[in-house]
Amino acid sequence: MRPFRLLALAIALAGASAGDAHATRGSRYVTTGRCAGVPGVQLKVAKGFCVGLAASGLGLPRGVLPLADGRVLVTDLGRWDAPAGRLLLLSPRPGGYEVRPLLKGLDRPHGLQAGPDGQVYLAEAGRILRVNLERTPPTVTPVITGLPAEGRHPLKQFVFGPDGAIHVNVGASTDHCEDAPAPRGMRCPEAERDTPGAAIWRYALVDGRWVGKPYARGLRNAMALAFAPDGSLWQAENSRDTLPGGVDSETLPHDELNRIRPGAHYGWPYCTDMGRFDPAFAPGDCSRHAKPERLLPAHSAPLGMVFYTHAAAPDAWRGSLVIGLHGYRRQGHRIIAWRFDASGKPARNFTVLVDGWQATARHPLGAPTDIKADTRGRLWVTEDRNGTVLVISPE
């Protein structure tokens, strides 16, 4: 096994043990009153909303999908080093939610989406499955297989486009192509080959089978994907961990908010921020790569986002892009929202929707992972480090 894979596995195992250690920490939330029929939690939340603790002790919950009948699906990653993931069903009951596993033995499951055919779709590390909930136990049908499942970023997020095509994140196998042979010039094999990693792939249904092609590249890890009401695809980028030459790695490089255009190259691993060139690659010209629409705090780690368009959303927030900042450094541990103007451009600055996880030692460390809206205007949020599902509800 190559050295970077050993390092990635060590990091993954460390993350798994840390997540397991905190899997039941949801009970440590300071609760008060009720929110959306569950115990309210004492977090700093924007006016007009409350936050409730819907379920805890869920292992490493990643993807979330509220169903039309009030139930909620959640993927539990399980472990990083073995196929031990689960699909969980949260069913409402008086005072909370009953949790029941529907599927077990999944390989690092993350993404959950409702397809245009009304079926549920679930992403394992190496494939995407269609799940038939009408069967007991549910049956699964692979629809996309052969996705790369090794390296530093094996988890898969995906979204359906307005035309029904599936857009899938294929994360970079490294941090910044550090295993490429020198001299590297402005060519990282993973980013430039015909079948790139660090890319979004588009799969269309052709003659009964899903056929994939690269859609956009130079995107290190596109774990936050969402289509806007105007049909445009947006991505929040997890940028590289460090920059060379003693650059302050606490504030650089910034994570990014990108509008995705077909065929564009967004600069990984050569360029970060608004065209900052990495001197490890030479010669370099960042002008040939697409620039971000906005910058996010460094290492804030956006992992889930959704356009908050439902009619039940409060007027001031309707149409905004809500993003969960998972964060493994101080800039994360928040849920933010970006408002868009009439031309479809994001505002200069984001607004904080939920904060305060680090206010006191009594609170668990906030780690929002995925976020989805239901038909009642509530936002459902998974937290893998705390093993919980939160619900953000208009009051």
Side-chain angles (χ1 to χ4, degrees):
M1 185 179 289
R2 286 182 289 178
F4 84 85
R5 288 191 176 178
L6 288 171
L7 175 60
L9 180 58
I11 292 171
L13 289 173
S17 61
D20 292 341
H22 295 90
T24 59
R25 286 187 63 186
S27 60
R28 293 185 59 186
Y29 271 112
V30 176
T31 61
T32 178
R34 309 292 290 177
C35 176
V38 298
V41 297
Q42 291 185 349
L43 290 171
K44 184 178 179 181
V45 61
K47 184 178 180 180
F49 293 91
C50 63
V51 182
L53 179 62
S56 59
L58 303 182
L60 293 170
R62 301 288 294 193
V64 65
L65 181 64
L67 303 176
D69 61 7
R71 299 180 298 170
V72 181
L73 293 173
V74 173
T75 51
D76 167 22
L77 179 70
R79 294 170 57 178
W80 284 91
D81 61 339
R86 302 179 297 168
L87 176 64
L88 306 175
L89 179 67
L90 279 58
S91 300
R93 59 175 175 78
Y97 286 80
E98 177 187 17
V99 180
R100 179 166 62 94
L102 297 180
L103 297 172
K104 297 181 180 180
L106 299 173
D107 182 13
R108 294 163 289 175
H110 179 86
L112 269 176
Q113 298 289 346
D117 57 359
Q119 297 294 309
V120 171
Y121 289 74
L122 181 154
E124 293 184 289
R127 60 182 185 167
I128 294 178
L129 310 173
R130 184 171 60 243
V131 181
N132 186 349
L133 295 179
E134 296 177 359
R135 300 288 184 90
T136 304
T139 57
V140 299
T141 304
V143 295
I144 298 173
T145 59
L147 298 172
E150 303 297 328
R152 195 180 185 98
H153 305 110
L155 303 187
K156 299 296 181 291
Q157 182 60 284
F158 67 100
V159 287
F160 284 90
D163 60 355
I166 301 175
H167 297 71
V168 185
N169 166 53
V170 177
S173 63
T174 64
D175 178 27
H176 54 280
C177 203
E178 60 269 23
D179 66 330
R184 290 183 288 176
M186 278 290 281
R187 185 166 182 84
C188 169
E190 184 175 13
E192 308 303 338
R193 67 194 182 208
D194 292 339
T195 57
I200 295 172
W201 281 65
R202 179 182 182 273
Y203 285 81
L205 194 58
V206 179
D207 296 330
R209 52 189 290 265
W210 292 90
V211 178
K213 294 181 180 180
Y215 188 74
R217 63 179 72 207
L219 296 161
R220 179 176 173 272
N221 196 23
M223 291 300 288
L225 293 169
F227 274 93
D230 65 3
S232 59
L233 176 60
W234 290 77
Q235 179 258 14
E237 170 77 340
N238 286 250
S239 296
R240 60 177 289 182
D241 293 333
T242 60
L243 287 171
V247 174
D248 175 17
S249 64
E250 281 299 312
T251 59
L252 293 173
H254 288 86
D255 289 344
E256 303 170 359
L257 179 66
N258 293 299
R259 177 172 178 154
I260 302 301
R261 293 175 171 81
H265 192 308
Y266 287 81
W268 181 90
Y270 323 113
C271 304
T272 59
D273 288 38
M274 291 293 182
R276 176 187 291 269
F277 176 66
D278 181 347
F281 297 89
D285 178 12
C286 290
S287 65
R288 62 195 252 195
H289 298 304
K291 289 183 172 57
E293 293 288 330
R294 295 289 183 264
L295 295 178
L296 284 159
H299 316 299
S300 55
L303 291 191
M305 68 185 193
V306 63
F307 278 92
Y308 194 24
T309 57
H310 294 77
D315 291 344
W317 297 85
R318 190 177 304 129
S320 62
L321 178 60
V322 180
I323 307 175
L325 302 182
H326 186 261
Y328 65 97
R329 303 190 194 180
R330 59 181 173 84
Q331 294 93 334
H333 321 301
R334 290 178 286 174
I335 297 174
I336 65 171
W338 237 301
R339 294 183 172 91
F340 280 59
D341 63 23
S343 67
K345 295 282 290 185
R348 183 175 298 274
N349 298 308
F350 59 77
T351 303
V352 176
L353 178 60
V354 181
D355 199 353
W357 272 281
Q358 296 170 294
T360 77
R362 294 179 297 169
H363 287 168
L365 179 63
T369 306
D370 194 17
I371 185 165
K372 298 276 189 357
D374 67 14
T375 56
R376 296 168 61 181
R378 301 177 300 184
L379 295 164
W380 293 85
V381 181
T382 48
E383 292 186 284
D384 60 348
R385 293 182 185 174
N386 297 326
T388 63
V389 170
L390 301 178
V391 56
I392 306 168
S393 179
E395 291 186 300

